[in-house]
Amino acid sequence: MRMTQPPALVAVAHGSRDPRALPAVRALVERVRAARPGVEVRLGHVELDEPLLGDTLAALRGPAVLVPLLLGRGHHVKHDLPAALAAAPWVTGTVAAPLGPHPLLAETLHDRLLAAGWDRAGQAVVLAAAGSRDPQSAADTARTAALLAARLGVPVAPAYASAAAPTVPDAVEALAHRGIARDKIAVASYFTAPGRFATQTAAAAPWIAADPLGAHPAMVRLVLRRYDEATAALPRTGSHRLAHAG
């Protein structure tokens, strides 16, 4: 029996105590929903915000693709999301790859920098990410830094708010030791939405600090791309569960 409906798209955000985070994530999800009206689009959170992913899955039946609104291959993508799907046997489907790395993220980061005041005087960028103990997560962040550097034509150094090194101040110092003026080093916010880490890293910027990625049109395209990639790997019947696709 062939699937008669497209899989639901479950956008999975991390969650934050910052009151600005949930509206930002909802705005992105609403734009995804508007861009793909034939698909049921839901939101779930790993922690801290509602609805939690488990509650979102409890209200679903049939095929679904969990699309992490996360930027690399860390613990949540590799373990928490597949575990949540395994705990909901009434939902068939898979977990899509994380959003990063991808050129659409470099496009978004570039636009956020321009909106913050980036111009030809800019000499370098620190790409501020959350951080993870998983080395694949750091590799993903480094790849995005390379994509942004190619787009801007200046050095882009990864830095982290937690669990990895260097910090933003350390990355700024390393760039300064290369002869780059501190007051021409920008911080790009490699976070989907506002939160404690985004605020913390922006405060360390010696020049401008860009806003988080948010509901940029390129983010909408990227979420749908990850959904489409995972959907293409689903079996034609809804009777088999797939392993993590990332």
Side-chain angles (χ1 to χ4, degrees), residues 3 6-12 53 57 60 62-68 76-98 223 225-235 237-246:
M3 285 197 300
L9 189 163
V10 180
V12 185
L53 177 57
L57 294 177
L60 287 174
V65 172
L66 276 58
V67 180
H76 294 313
V77 171
K78 290 183 176 181
H79 300 285
D80 293 344
L81 272 61
L85 190 58
W90 53 89
V91 176
T92 57
T94 189
V95 179
V223 170
R225 183 181 296 248
R226 294 306 193 211
Y227 169 80
D228 289 339
E229 290 167 351
T231 299
L234 285 170
T237 69
S239 60
H240 299 286
R241 300 172 64 78
L242 295 184
H244 173 240

Side-chain angles (χ1 to χ4, degrees), residues 18-109:
D18 190 312
R20 300 170 297 169
L22 183 56
V25 171
R26 282 178 171 164
L28 174 58
V29 170
E30 284 300 323
R31 290 192 176 186
V32 170
R33 185 177 288 122
R36 194 66 64 88
V39 172
E40 182 179 9
V41 179
R42 301 285 190 97
L43 172 63
H45 293 89
V46 175
E47 60 183 0
L48 300 176
D49 271 320
E50 294 182 348
L52 293 172
L53 177 57
D55 295 332
T56 297
L57 294 177
L60 287 174
R61 293 297 183 274
V65 172
L66 276 58
V67 180
L69 303 183
L70 306 169
L71 302 170
R73 294 169 291 174
H75 184 82
H76 294 313
V77 171
K78 290 183 176 181
H79 300 285
D80 293 344
L81 272 61
L85 190 58
W90 53 89
V91 176
T92 57
T94 189
V95 179
L99 297 184
H102 196 279
L104 287 170
L105 289 173
E107 177 182 336
T108 306
L109 289 162

Side-chain angles (χ1 to χ4, degrees), residues 102-170:
H102 196 279
L104 287 170
L105 289 173
E107 177 182 336
T108 306
L109 289 162
H110 188 182
D111 281 356
R112 295 300 186 220
L113 284 165
L114 289 172
W118 177 266
D119 55 26
R120 293 181 182 177
Q123 296 181 12
V125 173
V126 174
L127 182 65
S132 170
R133 293 181 179 85
D134 191 317
Q136 287 188 318
S137 178
D140 291 342
T141 302
R143 176 59 182 154
T144 298
L147 290 169
L148 184 59
R151 189 178 181 98
L152 295 175
V154 302
V156 176
Y160 305 96
S162 175
T167 64
V168 170
D170 287 345

